[in-house]
Amino acid sequence: MVLQSRRIGAYEISILHDGVFEAPLDVLIHADGAAARDEALARWGKPKINIVVNCFALKGSDGITLIDAGTGPSWGAAMGHAPEAMAAAGITPEDVARVLITHLHGDHALGLFDGDAARFPNAEIIVPEADFGFYGDEANRARVPEKKHGAFAITATLKKLYAGRIRSVPAGEARPGISLLPLPGHTFGHSGYLIEGENESLLLWGDALHLSDLQALEPDIGFVYDLDAATALASRRGILERAAHENWLVCGGHVEGFRRVVKKGAGYELVAA
């Protein structure tokens, strides 16, 4: 399903809905411990977590660019619907000229694969240099808990299926009008992409927030999926403050619709744009 579209700079940007990820509340953590987490969840008042999963299509004079690729069929029937959304937007896999990956987790990168083949046969894959370097080095497995090893396998498959078509990029311009902003913590090289226009800019911030209503208001809430919770918290607070100050539009892998960040009490709120 194509959820919303918006013109920013040189691109017509569409949100593509891949699915919804459900999880129990115990995947949430708090910087001040379990009691603080429980108090925050009591205020939030929801019995479980439903996380929307998005990726993005950018149509421009340089062809079709995707930002992230969804899950593919690997995570069950509730997810993996990005290909249908792309088809609804008039995009075939062969049309895709490039895919910019925010980080190498399954709900962002598994959609690059179609079984043992590359889903996008003509696409260059652009990956944050820090994430690709970290997960591309098998020696780093010892630095990561075993339950968080999935990105190593994804990176190995990426290298195999897109050999010769991968470009790892540092902070700064990744494409004309698109800059990579490092937001480490969720993964070693987790990043967002800032798309700049004359009148407004849009930050697609990957997984800086998973639950936009809860974590914006209470940024100290994190997820067990974060590789480094303290660094992820610093990135989350920093990018919320910067997005509010710059008046950027924001969206991400787990944000519903285009939003703006405004300060609210000791935290923030994501309001519909």
Side-chain angles (χ1 to χ4, degrees):
M1 182 191 311
V2 180
L3 297 177
Q4 292 184 35
S5 295
R6 196 161 186 134
R7 185 81 186 182
I8 304 289
Y11 300 100
E12 182 74 23
I13 302 165
S14 297
I15 303 172
L16 306 176
H17 181 60
D18 190 70
V20 176
F21 176 70
E22 295 186 4
L25 294 177
D26 60 11
V27 301
L28 296 173
I29 58 176
H30 194 289
D32 293 330
R37 181 201 65 183
D38 292 345
E39 290 174 8
L41 293 181
R43 291 190 292 271
W44 191 45
K46 296 183 181 180
K48 64 178 181 178
I49 294 165
N50 290 293
I51 303 173
V52 66
V53 179
N54 300 319
C55 53
F56 304 87
L58 284 60
K59 294 182 178 180
S61 61
D62 57 354
I64 302 295
T65 300
L66 300 183
I67 295 183
D68 288 334
T71 61
S74 303
W75 286 20
M79 302 175 71
H81 302 294
E84 300 161 31
M86 281 185 268
I91 301 169
T92 70
E94 292 76 15
D95 293 333
V96 176
R98 65 200 64 85
V99 185
L100 281 65
I101 297 295
T102 60
H103 62 296
L104 289 161
H105 276 174
D107 50 332
H108 301 262
L110 281 172
L112 293 171
F113 314 138
D114 186 6
D116 292 328
R119 183 175 297 278
F120 305 108
N122 302 315
E124 176 188 41
I125 310 302
I126 298 172
V127 190
E129 185 177 74
D131 229 38
F132 190 68
F134 184 83
Y135 289 113
D137 184 349
E138 288 290 320
N140 286 325
R141 281 180 176 267
R143 299 173 58 185
V144 178
E146 186 174 354
K147 66 181 180 180
K148 298 181 181 180
H149 277 179
F152 290 98
I154 289 170
T155 305
T157 303
L158 176 63
K159 287 181 174 182
K160 176 183 175 183
L161 298 185
Y162 288 89
R165 293 192 280 137
I166 303 167
R167 181 161 60 94
S168 62
V169 296
E173 187 177 73
R175 289 285 304 163
I178 304 177
S179 296
L180 182 150
L181 301 184
L183 298 169
H186 180 56
T187 67
F188 191 82
H190 173 261
S191 300
Y193 291 101
L194 180 67
I195 304 164
E196 298 179 79
E198 287 187 13
N199 299 316
E200 59 185 0
S201 296
L202 168 66
L203 174 63
L204 301 176
W205 62 23
D207 285 8
L209 281 76
H210 288 83
L211 290 168
S212 55
D213 56 343
L214 175 61
Q215 288 180 289
L217 190 60
E218 307 213 32
D220 285 346
I221 293 282
F223 271 65
V224 295
Y225 312 122
D226 295 333
L227 184 62
D228 181 333
T231 301
L233 170 57
S235 291
R236 185 163 51 251
R237 282 194 172 278
I239 203 60
L240 284 165
E241 177 63 26
R242 188 175 178 189
H245 181 264
E246 300 286 352
N247 196 34
W248 287 335
L249 290 168
V250 300
C251 196
H254 309 294
V255 176
E256 294 189 29
F258 297 108
R259 305 292 189 103
R260 294 192 193 275
V261 181
V262 297
K263 290 189 176 183
K264 184 175 182 179
Y268 303 84
E269 183 178 7
L270 271 61
V271 298

